[in-house]
């Protein structure tokens, strides 16, 4: 069946010609009402006596476009299967079956903003695939490095082949087995918690590694608290020494400006002596505490910055201590640094070499109306361009760029650009490209994405 993409103002549509029979009018009325969660909103329009169904796909991308470059992980796959199950439950409430749902990676959409999945409901769609074929398509979009996602995809293929047209049963079995496997893994990963809850007295003896880590963390915290306490104590002692020296200064001022009796004279001398001695003791103690704390920090920093012994011993490169004449490892390191410095200085004095002409691996795009030139290499294709990190291969941070704007592909040795239904469009030499259609580009072309212009060279 032929369908096309159509843009109207700020709306993107997937358009089907109405070839439904009278018996399917009820199905479309329910689909148009929007009462079934998970369906792409649709509306029927009459143009020149012909009827068409317009499916609104604003801000959405197909599964194929979304996950062809950045593959699907386990969480995304589980959410997709859960959305399909919820859709089938919603259809059953209105006595509708799953035969009208289009299970095709190029006709199932994901909302980039919310991550939700939307489905096309079209009973007369003649390119309909079986659910087992759809499961095989999903297997190609799953991240091979994600073991959980790969295992879940294989389970879906197995159950879809077993249950055939019973899609709901295949989904239920796949998701239920996954949840059971997850509970078993959690049970295996947490035996220590169960054991410790039953045998608190012997837990530390049976699992010393866990408690050793906790003790090390506690020791580190205690060491930090002690150092901060010493630092604070040293500062307080310095403050008290200043206060006592201030008292001495005050006594000197009083003795110089006032006439004192014999008792007052003796008392002032006693206060001056006590304050001076206390101030000196507090001053020396404060400096000692601060100096001690600084040494501890320096020792810890030195330990963390030290290189492994295997990296600095000259024995590793075929020398012995007696033959080299180095007193210690530091002499060897200094010699290595001096040799490297000498080699670098010698390199600067060599003759200038004429470089060969740099050969490019292929054409690339260079921006010309941005503050900083952006280069998009087209040597590794397919390449998706947009502004949403995690969904595209090349991020363009510009307000006119859509989340997933366009894709560059290799078609039989030629590079083509495909607009992914972007808001502000993609242009080649001033002509706007139709969504989801390949347009070949060549060296010398001007490519514009939104408001960003690129030279292809």
């Amino acid at each position: 069946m032929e369908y096309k993409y159509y843009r109207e103002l700020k709306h993107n549509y997937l358009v089907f010609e109405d070839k439904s029979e009278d018996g399917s009018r009820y199905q479309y009325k329910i689909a148009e009402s929007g009462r079934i969660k998970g369906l792409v909103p649709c509306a029927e329009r009459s143009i020149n006596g012909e009827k068409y169904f317009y499916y609104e796909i604003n801000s959405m991308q197909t599964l194929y476009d979304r996950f062809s470059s950045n593959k699907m992980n386990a969480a995304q796959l589980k959410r997709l299967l859960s959305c399909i199950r919820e859709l089938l439950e919603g259809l059953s409430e209105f006595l509708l079956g799953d035969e009208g749902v289009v299970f095709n990676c190029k006709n199932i959409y994901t909302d980039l903003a919310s991550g939700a999945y939307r489905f096309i409901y079209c009973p007369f769609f003649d390119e309909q695939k079986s659910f087992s074929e759809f499961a095989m398509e999903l297997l190609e979009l799953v991240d091979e490095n994600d073991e959980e996602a790969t295992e879940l995809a294989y389970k879906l293929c197995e159950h879809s082949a077993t249950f055939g047209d019973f899609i709901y049963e295949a989904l239920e079995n796949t998701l239920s087995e996954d949840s059971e496997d997850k509970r078993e893994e959690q049970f295996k990963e947490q035996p220590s918690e169960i054991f410790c809850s039953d045998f608190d007295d012997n837990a530390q003896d049976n699992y010393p590694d866990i408690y050793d880590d906790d003790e090390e963390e506690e020791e580190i915290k205690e060491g930090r608290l002690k150092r901060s306490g010493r630092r604070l104590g040293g500062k307080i002692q310095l403050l008290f020494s200043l206060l006592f020296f201030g008292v001495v200064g005050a006594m000197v001022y009083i003795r110089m400006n006032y006439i004192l009796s014999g008792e007052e004279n003796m008392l002032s001398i006693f206060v001056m002596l006590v304050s001076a001695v206390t101030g000196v003791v507090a001053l020396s103690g404060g400096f000692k505490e601060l100096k001690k704390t600084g040494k501890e920090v320096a020792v810890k920093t030195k330990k963390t910055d030290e290189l492994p012994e295997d990296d600095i011993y000259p024995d590793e490169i075929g020398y012995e201590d007696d033959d080299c004449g180095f007193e210690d490892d530091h002499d060897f390191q200094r010699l290595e640094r001096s040799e490297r410095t000498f080699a670098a200085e010698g390199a600067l004095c060599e003759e200038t070499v004429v470089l060969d002409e740099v050969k490019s691996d292929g054409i690339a795009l260079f921006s010309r109306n941005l503050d900083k030139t952006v280069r998009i290499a087209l040597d590794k294709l397919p390449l998706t361009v947009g502004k949403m990190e995690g969904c595209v291969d090349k991020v363009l941070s510009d307000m006119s760029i859509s989340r997933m704007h366009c894709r560059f592909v290799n078609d039989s040795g030629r590079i083509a650009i495909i607009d992914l239904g972007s808001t502000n469009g993609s242009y080649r030499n001033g002509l706007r490209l139709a969504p989801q259609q390949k347009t070949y580009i060549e060296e010398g072309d001007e490519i514009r994405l939104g408001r960003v212009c690129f030279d292809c060279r």
Side-chain angles (χ1 to χ4, degrees):
M1 166 180 281
E2 293 185 0
Y3 55 88
K4 62 180 180 180
Y5 292 90
Y6 175 71
R7 180 166 183 81
E8 183 180 66
L9 297 177
K10 294 183 178 181
H11 299 276
N12 287 323
Y13 296 98
L14 180 66
V15 182
F16 286 89
E17 185 178 356
D18 186 4
K19 294 183 180 181
S20 60
E21 300 177 356
D22 295 336
S24 61
R25 302 310 301 173
Y26 167 75
Q27 300 172 350
Y28 275 103
K29 289 297 181 182
I30 296 298
E32 285 185 85
S33 66
R35 298 168 67 180
I36 299 178
K37 182 180 179 181
L39 292 182
V40 176
C42 68
E44 187 180 22
R45 296 185 182 182
S46 296
I47 302 175
N48 297 328
E50 300 289 340
K51 292 184 178 181
Y52 298 89
F53 281 102
Y54 281 67
Y55 294 86
E56 190 170 354
I57 54 175
N58 299 330
S59 301
M60 293 191 289
Q61 294 292 336
T62 65
L63 285 182
Y64 178 80
D65 290 333
R66 170 64 180 85
F67 297 110
S68 60
S69 298
N70 298 276
K71 300 297 184 179
M72 184 182 297
N73 57 34
Q76 293 167 334
L77 180 57
K78 290 178 185 178
R79 185 168 187 179
L80 173 62
L81 300 183
S82 299
C83 288
I84 296 176
R85 183 175 59 180
E86 293 177 1
L87 172 65
L88 298 179
E89 292 174 351
L91 290 172
S92 64
E93 292 181 2
F94 294 91
L95 304 178
L96 297 178
D98 54 30
E99 60 276 357
V101 182
V102 179
F103 289 112
N104 190 331
C105 288
K106 293 186 177 181
N107 296 106
I108 296 178
Y109 292 84
T110 174
D111 192 333
L112 298 178
S114 63
Y117 297 94
R118 298 288 183 265
F119 303 87
I120 298 292
Y121 187 81
C122 184
F124 57 85
F125 188 68
D126 55 7
E127 297 179 12
Q128 182 69 282
K129 295 183 178 181
S130 64
F131 191 76
S132 59
E133 292 176 329
F134 169 67
M136 295 298 295
E137 280 187 334
L138 279 181
L139 191 59
E140 298 178 359
L141 299 180
V142 169
D143 187 1
E144 296 179 355
N145 298 322
D146 192 332
E147 295 182 0
E148 185 180 358
T150 305
E151 184 178 356
L152 186 62
Y154 276 113
K155 286 181 180 179
L156 180 64
C157 294
E158 180 182 350
H159 290 301
S160 61
T162 302
F163 289 94
D165 295 333
F166 298 95
I167 301 175
Y168 190 85
E169 286 76 5
L171 293 171
E172 276 292 316
N173 281 270
T174 303
L175 294 174
S176 61
E177 285 187 7
D178 178 72
S179 60
E180 289 177 1
D181 293 342
K182 192 173 183 180
R183 283 196 296 269
E184 290 179 0
E185 290 178 0
Q186 291 177 351
F187 181 79
K188 291 179 181 179
E189 291 174 356
Q190 300 174 353
S192 57
E193 296 182 1
I194 301 173
F195 187 82
C196 292
S197 63
D198 296 335
F199 307 99
D200 292 333
D201 297 335
N202 300 326
Q204 188 168 355
D205 297 333
N206 290 290
Y207 298 92
D209 296 337
I210 300 175
Y211 287 91
D212 288 344
D213 295 340
D214 296 339
E215 290 176 0
E216 289 179 2
E217 292 181 359
E218 291 179 359
E219 289 178 0
I220 293 173
K221 291 180 180 179
E222 289 179 0
R224 291 176 180 174
L225 290 175
K226 288 181 180 179
R227 288 197 298 273
S228 61
R230 288 175 183 173
R231 192 181 297 109
L232 180 60
K235 292 180 180 179
I236 292 176
Q237 291 186 38
L238 292 177
L239 179 61
F240 274 109
S241 66
L242 293 177
L243 291 176
F244 284 119
F245 288 139
V247 173
V248 173
M251 290 295 101
V252 173
Y253 177 80
I254 292 173
R255 289 175 60 84
M256 292 179 63
N257 292 279
Y258 296 94
I259 300 174
L260 303 177
S261 62
E263 295 179 355
E264 292 175 345
N265 190 25
M266 294 296 295
L267 180 62
S268 64
I269 293 174
F270 177 76
V271 171
M272 288 175 61
L273 289 175
V274 173
S275 299
V277 172
T278 307
V280 171
V281 172
L283 183 64
S284 61
F287 278 120
K288 286 182 180 179
E289 291 292 336
L290 292 178
K291 189 176 181 181
K292 188 175 181 180
T293 306
K295 286 183 178 179
E296 291 180 357
V297 175
V299 169
K300 282 188 170 293
T301 306
K302 185 177 180 181
K303 287 182 179 180
T304 56
D305 293 341
E306 283 181 351
L307 293 171
E309 294 183 357
D310 296 339
D311 294 339
I312 62 175
Y313 281 154
D315 296 340
E316 295 293 333
I317 56 175
Y319 294 103
E320 295 181 357
D321 293 340
D322 296 337
D323 296 334
C324 294
F326 298 131
E327 294 181 358
D328 53 17
D329 298 334
H330 298 287
D331 294 336
F332 181 76
Q333 292 181 20
R334 284 196 295 272
L335 178 62
E336 279 191 331
R337 286 195 293 269
S338 63
E339 289 177 351
R340 289 196 296 267
T341 304
F342 178 78
E345 292 176 352
L348 294 175
C349 299
E350 295 177 356
E351 296 181 357
T352 303
V353 178
V354 179
L355 297 177
D356 296 333
E357 184 179 355
V358 179
K359 295 182 180 179
S360 176
D361 294 334
I363 63 176
L365 300 180
F366 296 86
S367 65
R368 68 173 186 226
N369 61 341
L370 296 178
D371 296 335
K372 185 178 180 181
T373 302
V374 176
R375 178 179 180 271
I376 301 178
L378 302 179
D379 53 346
K380 295 181 181 180
L381 301 177
L383 177 78
T384 306
V385 179
K387 67 178 179 182
M388 189 172 186
E389 294 186 10
C391 293
V392 297
D393 302 307
K394 179 65 177 180
V395 178
L396 286 180
S397 300
D398 190 87
M399 295 299 294
S400 64
I401 303 297
S402 298
R403 295 185 180 93
M404 293 182 66
H405 198 98
C406 66
R407 173 177 288 114
F408 294 91
V409 297
N410 189 341
D411 187 16
S412 301
R414 300 181 64 186
I415 299 177
I417 180 175
I418 303 174
D419 183 79
L420 300 179
S422 59
T423 301
N424 295 303
S426 303
Y427 297 80
R428 175 183 177 269
N429 297 331
L431 297 178
R432 182 160 184 163
L433 308 181
Q436 300 294 335
Q437 291 186 9
K438 291 181 182 179
T439 302
Y440 297 102
I441 62 174
E442 298 176 352
E443 188 174 356
D445 288 344
E446 178 194 80
I447 305 298
R448 181 159 66 89
L449 309 179
R451 71 173 189 88
V452 184
C453 293
F454 293 89
D455 290 326
C456 185
R457 61 176 187 268

